[in-house]
Amino acid sequence: MELHTILLLCISLFCWFFLRTYLHSKSRKLPPGPNGFPIIGSLLELGSKPNHSLANLAKIHGPLMTLKLGSVITIVASSPETAKEILQKHDKTLSARTVPDVITAQPNPEATLAWVTGDKWRNRRRICSTQMFTNQRLDSLQEIRHEKVAQLVNHMRKQCQSGAAVDIGRVAFATTLNLMSSTIFSTDIVDPEFETAQEFKDLVWRIMEDSVKPNLSDYFPIIRWLDLQGVKRHIKPAYLRLHEIFDQVIEKRVEDRALGMKKTGDFLDVLLDQCEEEGSGFDRQTIKPLILDLFLAGSDTSAITTEWAMAELLRNPQKLQKVREEILQQIGTERPVKESDIEKLPYLQAVVKEVMRLHPAVPLLLPHKAQEDTEIFGFIVPKNSQVLVNAWAIERDPKYWEKPLEFLPERFLIKSSVDYKGRDFEYIPFGAGRRICPGMPLAIRMVNLMLASIVQPFSWNLPKGMAPENLDMEEQFGLTLRKAIPLLAIPSMEENKALI
């Protein structure tokens, strides 16, 4: 077929989809929104930071608005009230997922936890909730977390001797990666000096960044097969490399089980037991996407939150000193911090809560999909439309938060009843409703423990010549919201030598 014929066909299809979407939407009362351009709609308005762009559009069009992104109708919620309607009141009809085309680049995408729906999702969610994230299970794994954090602190002590700066995000990522690896596989994936962490960090960030890149395949599904921007081709090697790593661990475990070796009782054993049960829906190929989801969500988000916390504390030295004084008063310097100590550290907990408010690890909750027409506040959310909740905008809403752009942990001492468990819709860093993040209990434990453990023994300073008020706090948007410029900080142990 000649090139001009192909172009004519594509233009005709675009026009047909746009006209069909436009005429159909006119017959229903959709939420207000920008008019957009013919065919592409409001795609150009998203920019490099869609969380910011959508928040600004909501100020014009309201907390529930409609955007036409190519041929896809997208409904965006930007207030606690609209989020509650979507995530709680209508969560049954709005709990399906819009799956970005790039997600299908991985092997067996239908076996994921984050993107699958229906019985498969319920089965995977049940396994995770009952076998990995219960309080009893998490309590039994406390010593593993203490061990991984001790490795982190020992690494930082070595940096003290040379006076070298620490890349907080990198070492926090390595720590959480080893935590997830020990919990799932009973072995570390990263070496004790964190030298091999960078490969995993690069692989994970490629997936996180590519997963939310504006992709014509998502906005014009009829041309998905073309992968015009090459996004799937770019992300696929990262998926395959991670699956290759998991394959090696799984193969070794299967061989050990075949030889009759004693089970470790970790999460991999739980999954392999499921594989042996007839009709369970699990096999060796379908457990890898679930394991990958747990690694992506568990390591990246906790590391990002820890890095943002240290950045905010270094930018606010008085608050950093207040956190440290609380730790030293309550725990002292004779022993490291333990998870059981965290309840005695209300200001530290307030710091973590405030960081998750200002810098939610997932700024736009993973996209939902309407399974049928749904009425919200007199407007129709049409069947098959994509539904986004802008958690970043909601948690900076001046209607609910005094001085919302300032880092004020004290607000959570005053508003101590507000928590992150999905009941307070002005504060939903983990989402809410049936799709709330199942790993929330582990993430909270890990971030509090990591932050307390690296503040307790060290005095922290920014590199020479950098003033706290000049610390760059620019965001880089992806599936998660990381710090654009990695945080480098210098630890010293002029005090508290009892911890050495």
Side-chain angles (χ1 to χ4, degrees):
M1 190 180 293
E2 295 183 6
L3 180 60
H4 72 274
T5 306
I6 295 175
L7 289 174
L8 183 60
L9 177 61
C10 287
I11 292 171
S12 300
L13 287 170
F14 284 167
C15 291
W16 179 72
F17 267 100
F18 176 77
L19 186 61
R20 188 186 68 165
T21 302
Y22 178 79
L23 293 175
H24 192 45
S25 65
K26 282 296 183 181
S27 65
R28 293 168 294 178
K29 190 178 181 183
L30 298 179
N35 292 325
F37 294 98
I39 302 177
I40 64 172
S42 298
L43 281 176
L44 298 180
E45 298 195 60
L46 294 180
S48 60
K49 297 178 181 177
N51 53 323
H52 291 249
S53 304
L54 294 175
N56 290 331
L57 286 170
K59 293 175 183 177
I60 301 170
H61 301 286
L64 190 70
M65 64 179 176
T66 303
L67 276 76
K68 295 179 181 64
L69 302 178
S71 63
V72 177
I73 293 178
T74 300
I75 308 299
V76 184
S78 304
S79 72
E81 295 84 3
T82 54
K84 185 175 183 179
E85 290 284 310
I86 290 165
L87 301 175
Q88 184 182 80
K89 185 175 179 180
H90 299 288
D91 71 330
K92 185 175 182 179
T93 56
L94 300 177
S95 64
R97 288 286 192 218
T98 298
V99 182
D101 184 49
V102 70
I103 298 298
T104 65
Q106 66 181 297
N108 302 298
E110 71 284 351
T112 62
L113 174 64
W115 302 102
V116 74
T117 57
D119 290 339
K120 287 184 178 180
W121 170 75
R122 280 187 287 272
N123 192 19
R124 283 155 177 73
R125 173 89 181 202
R126 176 184 59 81
I127 292 293
C128 291
S129 297
T130 60
Q131 301 294 331
M132 191 167 178
F133 298 125
T134 64
N135 284 329
Q136 182 179 2
R137 178 72 172 171
L138 292 177
D139 287 345
S140 71
L141 296 171
Q142 280 187 57
E143 289 309 311
I144 290 179
R145 291 190 289 278
H146 293 156
E147 178 187 335
K148 301 310 161 193
V149 170
Q151 291 174 358
L152 170 64
V153 173
N154 287 335
H155 175 75
M156 290 179 171
R157 286 197 183 108
K158 293 177 182 178
Q159 300 297 99
C160 286
Q161 296 172 5
S162 63
V166 174
D167 183 334
I168 300 294
R170 187 178 72 86
V171 296
F173 178 81
T175 301
T176 54
L177 191 65
N178 271 347
L179 168 71
M180 296 304 298
S181 178
S182 295
T183 302
I184 296 172
F185 296 143
S186 297
T187 187
D188 288 351
I189 278 185
V190 175
D191 65 282
E193 294 304 316
F194 306 148
E195 295 297 329
T196 57
Q198 193 59 46
E199 179 192 6
F200 290 93
K201 200 168 191 294
D202 292 343
L203 291 171
V204 167
W205 183 247
R206 183 187 298 188
I207 291 172
M208 293 297 190
E209 190 173 31
D210 283 359
S211 294
V212 293
K213 278 183 177 177
N215 189 355
L216 290 175
S217 297
D218 294 324
Y219 306 126
F220 302 100
I222 197 170
I223 61 168
R224 276 191 169 196
W225 62 279
L226 292 171
D227 189 24
L228 289 174
Q229 295 164 258
V231 182
K232 285 178 70 173
R233 293 191 294 277
H234 184 256
I235 200 175
K236 190 172 184 177
Y239 278 126
L240 294 179
R241 174 59 181 144
L242 289 171
H243 274 249
E244 179 185 349
I245 293 167
F246 298 155
D247 266 330
Q248 295 169 0
V249 180
I250 293 171
E251 183 63 34
K252 176 66 166 59
R253 180 66 58 84
V254 170
E255 291 175 0
D256 290 346
R257 286 163 67 108
L259 293 172
M261 295 182 67
K262 185 180 178 180
K263 294 180 181 179
T264 63
D266 56 21
F267 195 60
L268 179 55
D269 270 338
V270 170
L271 293 177
L272 290 176
D273 287 344
Q274 289 290 313
C275 292
E276 294 172 2
E277 291 186 16
E278 188 174 348
S280 69
F282 287 96
D283 59 39
R284 284 180 56 183
Q285 299 308 313
T286 59
I287 64 175
K288 284 184 290 184
L290 172 57
I291 291 171
L292 178 58
D293 275 359
L294 293 173
F295 267 93
L296 292 177
S299 56
D300 192 48
T301 54
S302 295
I304 283 172
T305 302
T306 303
E307 182 177 23
W308 279 119
M310 283 301 294
E312 288 289 1
L313 290 174
L314 285 164
R315 198 167 66 141
N316 296 271
Q318 291 180 334
K319 299 185 190 302
L320 174 57
Q321 185 61 27
K322 188 172 180 178
V323 171
R324 195 167 188 226
E325 287 175 357
E326 180 184 65
I327 295 171
L328 297 182
Q329 287 171 6
Q330 294 296 325
I331 301 164
T333 62
E334 297 301 317
R335 64 171 178 83
V337 179
K338 296 185 180 297
E339 278 189 11
S340 56
D341 296 319
I342 299 301
E343 64 182 19
K344 298 182 290 188
L345 305 173
Y347 191 71
L348 172 88
Q349 293 180 67
V351 165
V352 172
K353 288 180 178 179
E354 177 70 343
V355 168
M356 292 192 299
R357 182 193 69 83
L358 260 182
H359 309 284
V362 182
L364 301 179
L365 302 187
L366 296 187
H368 291 237
K369 182 179 180 180
Q371 299 178 79
E372 58 185 60
D373 284 4
T374 305
E375 185 174 337
I376 296 179
F377 296 140
F379 298 109
I380 295 298
V381 176
K383 181 179 179 180
N384 293 326
S385 61
Q386 175 175 251
V387 182
L388 298 176
V389 176
N390 191 345
W392 183 90
I394 290 170
E395 290 164 7
R396 293 173 175 236
D397 188 338
K399 183 179 176 182
Y400 290 88
W401 302 97
E402 185 178 353
K403 299 179 180 178
L405 302 185
E406 294 187 24
F407 178 67
L408 299 172
E410 292 77 8
R411 74 173 85 242
F412 282 99
L413 299 177
I414 298 169
K415 299 173 65 173
S416 59
S417 62
V418 176
D419 69 26
Y420 42 73
K421 297 179 181 179
R423 295 187 291 264
D424 302 295
F425 287 86
E426 69 270 32
Y427 185 55
I428 48 173
F430 295 98
R434 66 184 64 201
R435 283 287 189 171
I436 193 170
C437 174
M440 174 181 63
L442 175 58
I444 289 298
R445 289 181 184 226
M446 194 59 190
V447 172
N448 277 297
L449 179 62
M450 272 201 298
L451 185 61
S453 296
I454 62 179
V455 169
Q456 181 197 29
F458 305 115
S459 295
W460 285 94
N461 293 287
L462 292 169
K464 187 176 181 180
M466 182 180 294
E469 60 272 17
N470 294 331
L471 180 61
D472 191 293
M473 300 295 280
E474 192 70 17
E475 304 166 347
Q476 184 171 347
F477 182 83
L479 198 60
T480 52
L481 193 67
R482 71 173 179 177
K483 195 172 179 298
I485 298 177
L487 175 64
L488 300 178
I490 300 172
S492 62
M493 292 195 67
E494 296 173 358
E495 307 169 18
N496 307 320
K497 296 186 183 296
L499 282 168
I500 297 177

